[in-house]
Amino acid sequence: MIKLLLLFIGFFSVTTVVSAQTTPEPTPITGTIRDSSNNKPLEKAVVSYIETGKTDTLRVLTNNQGHFTIDRSPSGEFIIIISNVGYQPKGIRYPPNMAGEL
């Protein structure tokens, strides 16, 4: 039986810090990947970030606590795809300018 991945999505606020040079600070995308059947964190799950309309994909691995950080500030709609050996991949589409903790 294929297990399902569970991505904890929390409510968050996005804060933009404007420096003296008016360059906004990047707001990284963070989250925790857990097994949906036992709620245990998944180590070394692949989290892929794809911005709609762009061809590059950024991939990161979760740590031993299932946590990941993607150092990107999305400027448009983006998709997060989570995959791991023995699990069915899961993709989630997010609206523009959504970053922070997913």
Side-chain angles (χ1 to χ4, degrees):
M1 173 155 73
I2 297 177
K3 296 181 182 181
L4 296 176
L5 295 173
L6 178 64
L7 172 64
F8 280 97
I9 302 171
F11 292 102
F12 58 89
S13 62
V14 176
T15 22
T16 303
V17 178
V18 180
S19 67
Q21 300 168 347
T22 66
T23 304
E25 291 291 321
T27 304
I29 301 165
T30 62
T32 301
I33 309 300
R34 297 182 178 274
D35 185 307
S36 62
S37 64
N38 60 20
N39 207 31
K40 289 185 179 179
L42 290 177
E43 183 178 1
K44 296 184 182 176
V46 178
V47 181
S48 302
Y49 167 88
I50 306 164
E51 234 177 286
T52 304
K54 297 192 177 177
T55 57
D56 62 328
T57 301
L58 176 66
R59 291 180 181 89
V60 297
L61 293 177
T62 58
N63 65 13
N64 61 347
Q65 297 166 341
H67 187 75
F68 70 90
T69 299
I70 298 173
D71 291 322
R72 287 273 171 100
S73 286
S75 58
E77 183 178 78
F78 64 96
I79 301 167
I80 296 290
I81 300 172
I82 304 110
S83 57
N84 200 6
V85 175
Y87 292 84
Q88 182 178 3
K90 178 156 179 100
I92 303 169
R93 184 180 304 271
Y94 291 95
N97 299 318
M98 188 170 183
E101 185 174 342
L102 303 179

